[in-house]
Amino acid sequence: MASPTNFLVHALLCLALATTVFSLSPKFYDKTCPQALPAIRKVVEAAIHRERRMGASLLRLHFHDCFVNGCDGSLLLDSTPAFETEKNALANLNSARGFEVVDQIKAEVDKVCGRPTVSCADILAVAARDSVVALGGPTWKVRLGRRDSTTASMALANSVLPSPFMDLAALINNFKDQGLNQRDLVALSGGHTLGLSQCVTFRNRIYNATNIDPGFAKERRATCPRTGGNTNLAPLDPTPAKFDTAYFKNLVKQRGLLVSDQALFNGGSTDKFVKTYSLNRNTFWDDFAKSMVKMGDIKPLTGKKGQIRVNCRKAN
Ligand code: HEM
Ligand SMILES: *[C@@H]1O[C@H](CO)[C@@H](O)[C@H](O)[C@H]1NC(C)=O
C-alpha cells in the first residue's frame, strides 16, 4: 500500500539505516577491539612523557589531516609514483612531526587487536584527544569508524591549509570552506595553547607589526634575528605544554605570536570569542571539545569506502 505515511516511514527508516551504518560512533571498536583505545592512550602518554611537545605535534597532525579532503589519514602517506606526500606541503615540510609516534601507536594497536582493525585516521583523532587530556585539557568522546584513503594530495594541502600570514577575513573563509564557523575558528585556534613555532613564521610580525605589544616583540626578537635563525623555536603561548587559557589572555594583550593568532583579536567580529575564552576556561574547554568533534567529522570515509591500512605510511 503506497500511502504517504508509508512513504514517510520508509524514508525515515532509510535515513536511520544510513546514519547507523555510515556515521561515526564512539562505540565503533567496542565489539571488534575493546583494547584499542587504552592501547592508543598508553603510547601517547609514554611519548608525551619523553617529550612534552609531542602532545602538541599530535594534535596538529589531526587538524592537518582533516582539512585536506577530510579526516582520512592522507597526511600520513609517503610519496609514491602516483602522488607526492602531503608531508611536503608548505605547512608541513620541516614542521609537521610525530609520524614515528603514529607508527608506534599503529604497531601496538594492531598487536593488541590481533589484526589491523583501527584506521590511521581514527588513530590521529584519538591521539589528538589523548594529547589534550595528557596536557591538562578537556576530554570528549571521539567519534570513530573513519577509514583510510589510498591517495594523498600535496597540491590540495597547499591550497587548503591556512597560512600563518592570513588576516581575519581569510581565516574565516578558510574555515567556512570546511563547514566551520567563526566560533569554531577561535576555539580551535586555541590549540595554540600548546606547542612551538619557528622564527621564519613570525619574524615579519615581531619586526614590522603595529598590533603587537612592544615588550613582547622585543622578547621574541632576542631569539629570532632579522636574518638567520629561521628554525629557532618560540612557544605559541607562555605555557606551551599546558592546555590552558593563556593563549587567549595573551591575544587580549596583543601578545599573539603569529599574524593569524592576533587577527582573532584585532577589532573584528571574533574579538568577543577571544575575550570570553580568556576569561572563562570552561567555556573554552566546552567549545574546543565540540569543535574538535565537528572537525573530526569532516568528510570521513565510511562503510566500504577506503581501507584499514596495515602501515599508515602506505596504502595496502
Ligand atoms: C587558524 C589557522 C591556523 C594557522 C594559520 C596555524 C598555523 C600554525 C603554524 C605556522 C604553526 C607553527 C609551525 C612551525 O613553525 O613549524 C602552528 C603550530 C601548531 N598548531 Fe596551528 N595553525 C592554525 C590552526 C590550528 C588548529 C585548528 C590547531 C589544532 C586544533 C592547531 C594546532 C597547532 C599546534 C598544537 C601547533 C604546535 C605544534 C608543535 O609544536 O609541534 N593549529 N600552527
Ligand atoms: C618589514 O617590512 C618590510 C617592508 O614590507 C620588508 O622589506 C622587511 O623585510 C620586513 N622585515 C622583516 C624582518 O620581515
Side-chain angles (χ1 to χ4, degrees):
M1 189 176 65
S3 73
T5 332
N6 222 333
F7 171 79
L8 193 69
V9 167
H10 186 102
L12 281 174
L13 262 174
C14 287
L15 193 72
L17 259 178
T19 48
T20 47
V21 178
F22 294 123
S23 93
L24 307 178
S25 154
K27 298 169 177 297
F28 191 81
Y29 298 108
D30 280 7
K31 293 239 165 64
T32 51
C33 185
Q35 320 90 304
L37 269 59
I40 297 173
R41 190 180 62 222
K42 221 174 115 191
V43 181
V44 169
E45 283 173 354
I48 292 175
H49 184 78
R50 283 195 300 273
E51 187 208 10
R52 303 277 281 170
R53 186 187 178 192
M54 192 49 73
S57 306
L58 291 172
L59 171 61
R60 189 168 183 233
L61 289 186
H62 180 48
F63 160 51
H64 282 200
D65 181 32
C66 291
F67 265 50
V68 185
N69 204 24
C71 316
D72 62 357
S74 57
L75 169 61
L76 304 174
L77 290 172
D78 287 335
S79 290
T80 72
F83 59 82
E84 183 165 359
T85 178
E86 290 171 19
K87 295 172 190 178
N88 289 349
L90 217 62
N92 292 327
L93 190 64
N94 301 317
S95 178
R97 58 199 295 282
F99 298 108
E100 300 76 16
V101 174
V102 175
D103 291 339
Q104 255 180 49
I105 296 171
K106 178 65 175 165
E108 188 56 31
V109 91
D110 280 354
K111 198 174 85 188
V112 303
C113 296
R115 67 194 153 83
T117 307
V118 181
S119 67
C120 300
D122 278 350
I123 286 175
L124 290 181
V126 174
R129 189 271 314 269
D130 291 348
S131 294
V132 168
V133 171
L135 295 172
T139 191
W140 60 93
K141 286 203 165 91
V142 180
R143 287 155 53 75
L144 298 165
R146 299 169 191 80
R147 292 169 64 84
D148 296 323
S149 71
T150 53
T151 184
S153 173
M154 181 184 74
L156 186 63
N158 274 331
S159 78
V160 300
L161 289 174
S163 135
F165 312 116
M166 281 180 170
D167 63 13
L168 181 60
L171 289 167
I172 290 173
N173 272 324
N174 180 277
F175 272 59
K176 195 174 167 197
D177 287 345
Q178 303 282 355
L180 299 170
N181 61 32
Q182 296 189 29
R183 201 176 173 108
D184 297 316
L185 165 65
V186 178
L188 289 170
S189 294
H192 287 180
T193 183
L194 300 177
L196 311 176
S197 175
Q198 304 178 55
C199 168
V200 65
T201 69
F202 59 83
R203 175 181 285 125
N204 193 24
R205 172 163 164 74
I206 62 173
Y207 286 98
N208 278 330
T210 50
N211 62 348
I212 192 168
D213 173 80
F216 174 69
K218 191 175 168 213
E219 221 176 284
R220 284 290 155 264
R221 286 175 192 156
T223 54
C224 180
R226 271 178 200 280
T227 53
N230 278 350
T231 61
N232 293 359
L233 295 170
L236 283 157
D237 90 347
T239 53
K242 212 172 141 22
F243 199 98
D244 57 16
T245 55
Y247 170 74
F248 295 110
K249 288 193 157 79
N250 241 21
L251 294 186
V252 170
K253 294 187 283 194
Q254 296 199 312
R255 289 168 154 255
L257 188 60
L258 309 177
V259 168
S260 57
D261 291 326
Q262 199 58 58
L264 304 175
F265 190 86
N266 197 35
S269 55
T270 51
D271 280 19
K272 56 180 185 286
F273 300 123
V274 172
K275 200 73 190 280
T276 300
Y277 296 154
S278 76
L279 296 171
N280 191 332
R281 189 191 79 158
N282 288 343
T283 309
F284 169 44
W285 279 27
D286 286 355
D287 283 6
F288 184 78
K290 272 193 206 124
S291 296
M292 284 297 289
V293 171
K294 201 166 159 187
M295 183 176 82
D297 270 350
I298 298 174
K299 277 179 71 181
L301 296 170
T302 55
K304 295 198 155 137
K305 292 184 195 132
Q307 59 181 217
I308 306 298
R309 269 180 229 148
V310 175
N311 176 343
C312 290
R313 293 176 185 263
K314 61 189 190 68
N316 299 341

